Amino acid sequence: MAHVYQPDRIEQKWQKTWEAQQTFKTLPENSDKPKYYILDMFPYPSGSGLHVGHPEGYTATDIIARAKRMQGYNVLHPMGWDAFGLPAERAAVREQKHPADITQANIANFKKQIKRLGLSYDWSREICTSSPDYYRWTQWIFLKMVDKGLAYLADVPVNWCPAQATVLANEEVVDGKYVETGDPVEQRNMRQWMLKITAYADALLDDLEGLDWPENVIEMQKNWIGKSQGAHIHFPLQDHDSSITVFTTRPETVFGATFMVVAPHHPILEHVLQPAHKAAVQDYCAQISQDHLDHSHEKTGVFTGAYAINPLTKQPIPIWVSDYVKLGYGTGAIMAVPGHDERDHAFATAYQIPIKEVFDEHNKAVASGFLDGLSIDQAKDTMLEHLTQHQLGSAKTTYKLRDWLFSRQRYWGEPFPVVYDGDVPLPLSQDDLPILLPPIQAYKPTEDGKPPLGRADDDWLLVQRDGKVFPRELNTMPQWAGSCWYYLRYMDPHNDKAPFGPDKEQYWGQVDLYVGGLEHAVSHLLYARFWHKVLYDLGLVSHKEPFKKLFNQGMILGVSYKDDQGKYYHTQDIIHQAGKPFSKQGHKPLTSMVEKMSKSKLNVINPDDVVNEYGADALRLYEMFMGPLEATKPWQSEGVKGVYNFLQRVWQLSVDPTTDKQSASLDDHLNMDAHPKLYQRLNQLIEKVTYDIEHLKFNTSIAKMMEFTNECKQQSVLSTELWKTFITLLSPFAPHICEEIWQIMGNKKQLAYQAWPIADPNAVAEETFNLVFCINGKRISQATVATDIADDEAKTLFLEDPKIIKVLADRHIKKLIVVKQKLINAVV
Ligand code: ANZ
């Protein structure tokens, strides 16, 4: 038996055993155990392999999955690959290989790396969104959407990225740039497939209610949907028999509308623009289209020369054009109320337009005719009634959410199961599926501007039916498509008759816990919820929401080192002197910074290196010990050493022949009499670890386990039962070392299904007594405290006691006397 902890000897052995014995295979659905479905956001298998952010979430779910198995659940804990997407296509161009081959190689690498971490996935359920037996069913769901009128073709202004020669979803564009590459994005009109997510706007909003999700994610989803209740109000044009309709959330402020603003390129401009102002407005619009995505500039605008009539004051008000009003929201036109809207106020000030206040400091209407004296809410109701009655407007709800642009001019995605008869799209039948991606030689758009699939052979391009020829749709689906329903496929991954069987779906129901990064707070989670609701309405799933509980792990940052020239240094090229970093060569002083890990900053930590040096158990434990799971936190290599030393200590305590703890025959039965203190500590630990696992608070549990081993170290003899229980508690965190110790202790069955310990309620409670607080010998107050309370802690409690504070007032304490297990007295 090795007396030194050697993770490399242990870890591979157990990984092989688990694999050979299918230890973590999910039980069949007729199991009488309760089910628990715990899911990681599956990774995109990128060429750079796993980074330390992946094991953070994966270890968290693995700890829970392992604990749940031990607690008697039938656990579904799967892993797969979000494998379609642009990076593989770009690599294909670069490396002259097929994206499928690149993806396959990347998956093999990812899988090898993930398997080294001892994660208890049921690999028999592995899925891959780019394999035909998966995307066949993505196409199948798309056909259902076409059937329901939820997928349609439309000429839409799109975000066109010239560098990538493709359109992007709104969610993929930030500040006029493609978030993945930073390439500029412009607007274009194109005929594209759209998914009618707006039909589900209210359901997507309302059903957030019952979810156990982080508040910030719920907030982000609400904002993205952006439901606004207000009114449409018609402003007649002066000298013209048409009108401009505005959307406002403040109809009670109409009396204060002193001008109007329409968005650049608003179609109404054609009718209202006065000849003398035409050139100026056209110039302005042209300039806006050029830098329309650059939001940094000041509020600017031009006057159209035209006037509208405020329908309440009957006064003419000027119509301006400005890009602070957006074409795609509301009606693309606003009534501007500079007295009560900040943006309007800034604009009115800049262009010397009158500002009129219509609510006073008590929020009562003033200078507003029949509204005068009413509160905002009363005024709103009264105005809405007035508008409706006089056909000047009506109540209106708008959403920021837009239908989902679902076409991409790319190769490496799901082909649409659609052909064309002239301009008319014809959905193919379910029996035609899968529509396979054809092999092509180059992945750029064709010379005549068709998407890459335009390069396929005629065999693929043209579909013969009843003597007629129909060309295929050449766009592909966006990368988000496959991840919209993958959690359902894990329930029944090998079904070749349906995406998943109803019996399996009914058994597994919702994902009980979903863990992943905050970057998916809107896009993926909104799209998946939308598809799920469509499937619900089709009667294919039994819950309205896919993910019952969501948890976002925090980002792991890197520590980087930079000299005054801005040059970055690798940690191995650095020495520390008097706690300060210097370059090894040239001895330049460096500044250290905590930043997002990136290759260019030389601060990326490769999980493989950590496993090689310290083992997977140490990596797992460290990532959970770094801080709260949800916190953003820097990687600190000394921290890994710290947890490695802890594992070392656990190993020593298990195998050390001098104290012979593992056989401790003196005291084979764990009981209060033999080790009252340790027995109590163990039960407190059981309670704590059980609670913490349920609430994803792993760092505090690990700290307690460390404390516990320190106490164990001070014992001359340890009970086997006690140590077995401790090893059981530690096993979800550090499974390899614990299985090994478990075996060394003579257990024949694997630890993976050992019953989870239950705390003895009688043993958990701390023994307590009443500590009396006195001032000059007079009893003032008291507190219930643990028998072994430290003096410092007792003094703090004394000084923080409200009654003591009151009686002490400003008096100075000369002496604070602690009489153990009895009282504290302040001499003043
Ligand atoms: C008059 C008013 C007075 C407004 C006031 C606000 C405050 P949310 O809440 O985001 O829905 N608005 C309407 N359409 C717009 C567009 N296409 N581009 C830019 N702004 C637009 O915002 C609704 C408010 O934003 C509307 O209510 C309108 O200004 C403006 F004291 O009307 B409000």
Side-chain angles (χ1 to χ4, degrees):
M1 187 192 308
H3 291 165
V4 183
Y5 170 46
Q6 289 171 299
D8 51 334
R9 293 227 176 148
I10 300 171
E11 294 185 349
Q12 279 193 21
K13 166 188 154 186
W14 284 104
Q15 286 163 16
K16 281 189 190 135
T17 308
W18 292 328
E19 188 155 348
Q21 302 189 359
Q22 300 194 317
T23 306
F24 303 116
K25 198 168 157 60
T26 317
L27 303 178
E29 286 74 23
N30 60 12
S31 153
D32 52 8
K33 295 183 172 185
K35 71 95 188 180
Y36 190 79
Y37 186 178
I38 179 162
L39 183 66
D40 293 299
M41 290 185 187
F42 65 166
Y44 175 75
S46 76
S48 38
L50 220 57
H51 60 76
V52 288
H54 289 111
E56 190 193 10
Y58 301 166
T59 304
T61 51
D62 196 58
I63 291 169
I64 301 173
R66 286 174 177 272
K68 289 281 174 186
R69 278 187 209 100
M70 298 168 96
Q71 289 163 3
Y73 286 86
N74 182 16
V75 173
L76 176 52
H77 187 41
M79 183 40 87
W81 318 104
D82 188 13
F84 273 134
L86 194 52
E89 195 164 316
R90 272 195 254 128
V93 174
R94 227 174 23 239
E95 298 167 24
Q96 308 264 317
K97 288 183 191 148
H98 195 277
D101 297 334
I102 291 173
T103 303
Q104 208 174 26
N106 290 351
I107 288 175
N109 182 42
F110 256 73
K111 197 167 168 180
K112 196 179 87 204
Q113 289 186 295
I114 288 182
K115 284 200 163 181
R116 289 189 72 191
L117 303 175
L119 301 166
S120 64
Y121 294 121
D122 176 357
W123 284 105
S124 73
R125 290 176 186 248
E126 178 182 355
I127 57 167
C128 173
T129 56
S130 65
S131 67
D133 58 3
Y134 182 89
Y135 71 66
R136 165 183 185 175
W137 302 111
T138 311
Q139 294 170 333
W140 186 92
I141 297 172
F142 175 80
L143 286 178
K144 294 277 181 204
M145 296 220 186
V146 175
D147 210 38
K148 284 268 153 195
L150 292 169
Y152 63 95
L153 275 173
D155 284 308
V156 283
V158 296
N159 304 303
W160 174 259
C161 178
Q164 303 294 338
T166 187
V167 304
L168 300 168
N170 290 339
E171 292 81 341
E172 293 172 303
V173 182
V174 171
D175 292 335
K177 297 196 176 85
Y178 177 30
V179 286
E180 294 282 322
T181 61
D183 293 319
V185 175
E186 57 186 50
Q187 305 276 298
R188 259 196 202 182
N189 270 323
M190 281 175 75
R191 197 153 190 244
Q192 303 282 293
W193 282 103
M194 306 291 292
L195 296 188
K196 215 183 260 176
I197 189 171
T198 54
Y200 284 84
D202 275 321
L204 288 167
L205 201 59
D206 297 345
D207 295 343
L208 286 170
E209 209 55 52
L211 297 178
D212 184 0
W213 282 26
E215 212 34 68
N216 59 333
V217 178
I218 295 202
E219 217 33 53
M220 284 160 89
Q221 295 233 336
K222 281 186 182 164
N223 288 339
W224 193 264
I225 297 165
K227 182 175 183 169
S228 262
Q229 277 163 312
H232 270 174
I233 304 178
H234 315 302
F235 282 65
L237 293 170
Q238 197 180 35
D239 310 323
H240 216 287
D241 55 3
S242 62
S243 62
I244 301 183
T245 301
V246 302
F247 171 69
T248 175
T249 46
R250 303 284 312 271
E252 70 280 11
T253 63
V254 187
F255 282 98
T258 56
F259 62 108
M260 292 187 81
V261 184
V262 300
H265 304 295
H266 196 297
I268 195 87
L269 282 173
E270 267 178 45
H271 303 288
V272 305
L273 207 51
Q274 296 301 298
H277 296 264
K278 205 165 184 166
V281 170
Q282 282 171 348
D283 272 3
Y284 178 75
C285 293
Q287 178 211 330
I288 293 300
S289 339
Q290 252 176 11
D291 57 19
H292 74 282
L293 292 159
D294 171 14
H295 297 295
S296 55
H297 57 70
E298 297 279 298
K299 284 212 172 57
T300 58
V302 276
F303 178 42
T304 61
Y307 290 83
I309 304 294
N310 181 319
L312 273 299
T313 65
K314 309 288 183 208
Q315 296 296 312
I317 55 173
I319 304 171
W320 286 71
V321 177
S322 171
D323 70 332
Y324 82 91
V325 173
K326 303 290 166 219
L327 200 53
Y329 186 62
T331 63
I334 65 159
M335 63 172 199
V337 184
H340 300 280
D341 181 277
E342 249 177 65
R343 298 162 299 178
D344 299 345
H345 191 273
F347 195 86
T349 310
Y351 294 100
Q352 281 129 37
I353 302 169
I355 297 171
K356 181 179 168 193
E357 293 204 3
V358 288
F359 281 90
D360 65 13
E361 69 273 24
H362 308 296
N363 284 330
K364 300 275 181 206
V366 291
S368 295
F370 59 92
L371 299 181
D372 281 358
L374 298 182
S375 71
I376 291 184
D377 285 349
Q378 290 166 336
K380 186 171 291 194
D381 291 346
T382 309
M383 178 60 89
L384 277 173
E385 224 169 88
H386 179 89
L387 292 171
T388 319
Q389 206 168 31
H390 296 85
Q391 300 190 345
L392 299 172
S394 53
K396 173 77 188 172
T397 303
T398 62
Y399 300 86
K400 292 214 171 75
L401 186 68
R402 295 280 160 265
D403 277 346
W404 178 10
L405 191 134
F406 201 62
S407 303
R408 294 291 182 279
Q409 290 69 48
R410 286 180 193 158
Y411 173 73
W412 192 229
E414 299 86 348
F416 282 93
V418 172
V419 295
Y420 286 90
D421 185 358
D423 263 357
V424 182
L426 303 177
L428 294 167
S429 125
Q430 289 173 14
D431 304 330
D432 296 320
L433 304 181
I435 308 301
L436 296 173
L437 262 175
I440 58 172
Q441 304 311 323
Y443 306 102
K444 287 268 164 220
T446 65
E447 278 66 44
D448 51 355
K450 286 186 183 146
L453 281 180
R455 298 178 180 276
D457 291 348
D458 281 355
D459 275 1
W460 188 86
L461 284 175
L462 305 172
V463 176
Q464 313 260 353
R465 289 278 150 95
D466 312 322
K468 270 183 87 178
V469 177
F470 302 93
R472 278 191 200 275
E473 167 69 65
L474 299 179
N475 288 307
T476 54
M477 299 184 196
Q479 192 187 350
W480 307 109
S483 57
C484 274
W485 71 283
Y486 76 110
Y487 56 93
L488 293 165
R489 185 64 177 173
Y490 282 136
M491 298 175 181
D492 197 6
H494 307 294
N495 195 330
D496 59 2
K497 303 281 180 296
F500 48 87
D503 49 334
K504 309 271 163 99
E505 190 281 327
Q506 272 152 31
Y507 177 83
W508 290 110
Q510 288 175 297
V511 173
D512 293 284
L513 176 63
Y514 194 21
V515 175
L518 193 57
E519 67 275 16
H520 295 299
V522 178
S523 33
H524 159 60
L525 288 170
L526 198 65
Y527 296 149
R529 292 181 63 224
F530 161 47
W531 278 43
H532 195 87
K533 288 181 185 305
V534 173
L535 295 174
Y536 179 81
D537 287 349
L538 288 165
L540 294 172
V541 298
S542 40
H543 294 264
K544 285 187 178 173
E545 285 288 330
F547 314 118
K548 194 149 99 188
K549 177 169 177 159
L550 175 76
F551 197 96
N552 300 119
Q553 84 266 17
M555 187 157 20
I556 299 181
L557 302 175
V559 180
S560 52
Y561 296 90
K562 212 167 156 177
D563 64 18
D564 56 2
Q565 313 275 299
K567 184 178 171 232
Y568 281 99
Y569 289 76
H570 206 277
T571 33
Q572 71 215 20
D573 301 325
I574 288 160
I575 45 165
H576 281 268
Q577 267 174 14
K580 295 209 173 71
F582 294 89
S583 66
K584 261 188 198 162
Q585 272 206 327
H587 205 259
K588 278 190 223 152
L590 305 174
T591 34
S592 71
M593 274 170 307
V594 171
E595 298 180 279
K596 206 176 154 179
M597 284 191 190
S598 106
K599 277 188 197 145
S600 62
K601 291 175 181 155
L602 305 177
N603 63 350
V604 177
I605 302 285
N606 181 346
D608 279 344
D609 296 341
V610 182
V611 174
N612 288 341
E613 196 167 351
Y614 298 104
D617 283 336
L619 173 68
R620 294 170 58 113
L621 211 53
Y622 173 62
E623 295 221 4
M624 296 301 99
F625 189 52
M626 291 174 81
L629 187 60
E630 66 277 19
T632 303
K633 53 224 158 204
W635 182 274
Q636 276 156 333
S637 299
E638 316 82 70
V640 190
K641 271 179 225 159
V643 295
Y644 178 76
N645 291 341
F646 162 65
L647 290 175
Q648 190 80 258
R649 209 173 313 131
V650 171
W651 182 259
Q652 294 293 323
L653 280 166
S654 308
V655 303
D656 191 337
T658 54
T659 49
D660 199 16
K661 284 174 176 122
Q662 86 300 136
S663 62
S665 52
L666 294 172
D667 177 21
D668 242 351
H669 295 283
L670 179 61
N671 60 58
M672 286 250 219
D673 307 334
H675 296 285
K677 197 75 225 169
L678 212 52
Y679 183 73
Q680 183 190 42
R681 286 280 180 261
L682 180 71
N683 279 284
Q684 286 169 341
L685 192 67
I686 296 172
E687 225 180 28
K688 169 114 186 111
V689 174
T690 309
Y691 177 91
D692 280 357
I693 288 179
E694 197 68 38
H695 296 84
L696 295 98
K697 292 181 187 298
F698 307 109
N699 57 325
T700 49
S701 265
I702 296 169
K704 282 283 171 217
M705 289 195 265
M706 289 175 169
E707 274 174 32
F708 184 79
T709 48
N710 287 341
E711 285 185 52
C712 289
K713 231 181 130 179
Q714 281 152 27
Q715 311 295 318
S716 53
V717 159
L718 264 185
S719 116
T720 309
E721 285 304 316
L722 178 139
W723 196 243
K724 270 167 74 173
T725 306
F726 172 72
I727 292 298
T728 312
L729 289 177
L730 178 62
S731 69
F733 298 77
H736 308 88
I737 186 177
C738 291
E739 282 286 7
E740 185 71 15
I741 292 171
W742 191 251
Q743 195 180 53
I744 291 170
M745 290 178 88
N747 297 291
K748 295 280 173 292
K749 268 169 71 181
Q750 274 184 35
L751 182 49
Y753 284 92
Q754 176 68 15
W756 188 252
I758 294 170
D760 171 357
N762 296 321
V764 172
E766 286 278 356
E767 277 184 53
T768 58
F769 71 101
N770 267 346
L771 181 65
V772 175
F773 295 157
C774 306
I775 294 178
N776 285 346
K778 191 167 165 230
R779 181 192 181 118
I780 308 289
S781 182
Q782 64 175 42
T784 310
V785 299
T787 317
D788 60 348
I789 187 168
D791 284 3
D792 281 348
E793 203 181 322
K795 284 181 186 169
T796 310
L797 281 178
F798 177 91
L799 294 170
E800 286 172 353
D801 187 278
K803 283 188 192 154
I804 293 288
I805 292 173
K806 208 168 148 204
V807 176
L808 267 179
D810 292 334
R811 285 186 289 176
H812 175 69
I813 300 177
K814 282 194 209 139
K815 219 171 168 188
L816 204 55
I817 304 156
V818 181
V819 183
K820 276 216 183 298
Q821 308 261 349
K822 264 209 178 88
L823 60 83
I824 302 188
N825 182 34
V827 182
V828 300

